[in-house]
């Protein structure tokens, strides 16, 4: 299995995910919310021998500001993991955290049954709602060595 990181309008992204984002079962998994993308998104897609196993799109809301060392802000608001496979889920989240957490504070809108996957990847619950929770992972401070 490999995880591919793609820009929000990359042609390969459409090739890997279009059959899923329009599938009734996948939309039901996402509680019937449509998946969105734009140039402000970064997608992490898990594949194995040409099959797409899952994906996590991340909207990059604010870019990091190097001059004042201000972290950027990014949000996970929809995702899909076939059969809620824990191995795929954890591998995708690990890739998201490793790629973005050094420079971004990450927010996630998470279905309640997926809380443990996010907790294992440095996220903490901030707000409880009826069907979801908002979770946050704070960026790692860069230290001089």
């Amino acid at each position: 299995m490999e995880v591919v990181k793609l820009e929000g309008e990359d042609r390969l992204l459409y090739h890997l995910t279009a059959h899923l984002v329009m599938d009734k079962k996948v939309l039901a998994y996402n509680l019937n919310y449509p998946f969105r993308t734009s140039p402000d998104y970064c997608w992490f897609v898990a594949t194995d021998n040409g099959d797409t196993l899952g994906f996590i799109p991340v909207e990059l809301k604010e870019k990091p500001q190097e001059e004042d060392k201000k972290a950027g802000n990014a949000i996970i608001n929809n995702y899909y993991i076939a059969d809620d496979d824990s191995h795929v889920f954890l591998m995708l989240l690990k890739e998201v955290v490793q790629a973005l957490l050094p420079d971004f504070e990450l927010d996630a809108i998470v279905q309640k049954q997926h809380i443990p996957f996010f907790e294992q990847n440095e996220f903490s619950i901030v707000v409880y709602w009826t069907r979801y929770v908002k979770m946050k992972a704070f960026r790692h401070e860069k230290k001089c060595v």
Side-chain angles (χ1 to χ4, degrees), residues 53-134:
L53 307 175
F55 53 81
I56 297 178
V58 183
E59 185 177 9
L60 306 177
K61 302 275 252 176
E62 293 177 36
K63 304 286 193 258
Q65 303 297 319
E66 286 297 323
E67 60 276 0
D68 59 5
K69 298 183 182 178
K70 183 177 184 243
N73 185 269
I75 186 164
I76 298 167
N77 197 3
N78 293 299
Y79 50 83
Y80 170 72
I81 313 301
D83 302 319
D84 278 344
D85 183 301
S86 62
H87 179 69
V88 174
F89 219 130
L90 292 170
M91 186 172 197
L92 274 168
L93 280 172
K94 180 181 175 186
E95 290 290 328
V96 170
V97 168
Q98 284 180 342
L100 299 177
L101 200 53
D103 299 315
F104 290 86
E105 289 184 359
L106 290 171
D107 292 323
I109 307 304
V110 177
Q111 294 181 36
K112 288 185 175 179
Q113 68 268 24
H114 301 138
I115 291 171
F117 297 125
F118 283 82
E119 287 178 332
Q120 289 180 51
N121 281 278
E122 305 186 43
F123 285 83
S124 300
I125 296 172
V126 178
V127 179
Y128 278 95
W129 293 305
T130 304
R131 296 172 112 180
Y132 302 96
V133 295
K134 181 176 183 180

Side-chain angles (χ1 to χ4, degrees), residues 2-64:
E2 76 172 310
V3 175
V4 181
K5 180 182 171 191
L6 299 165
E7 298 298 318
E9 293 184 340
D10 189 304
R11 288 178 143 306
L12 180 58
L13 172 66
Y14 294 105
H15 175 76
L16 292 172
T17 64
H19 66 288
L20 294 171
V21 300
M22 294 185 279
D23 184 290
K24 286 182 183 180
K25 291 178 186 173
V26 174
L27 287 169
Y29 175 98
N30 201 41
L31 302 176
N32 293 317
Y33 286 97
F35 295 93
R36 301 175 194 273
T37 195
S38 76
D40 296 328
Y41 280 77
C42 176
W43 287 62
F44 295 80
V45 182
T47 64
D48 189 33
N49 295 321
D51 293 328
T52 301
L53 307 175
F55 53 81
I56 297 178
V58 183
E59 185 177 9
L60 306 177
K61 302 275 252 176
E62 293 177 36
K63 304 286 193 258

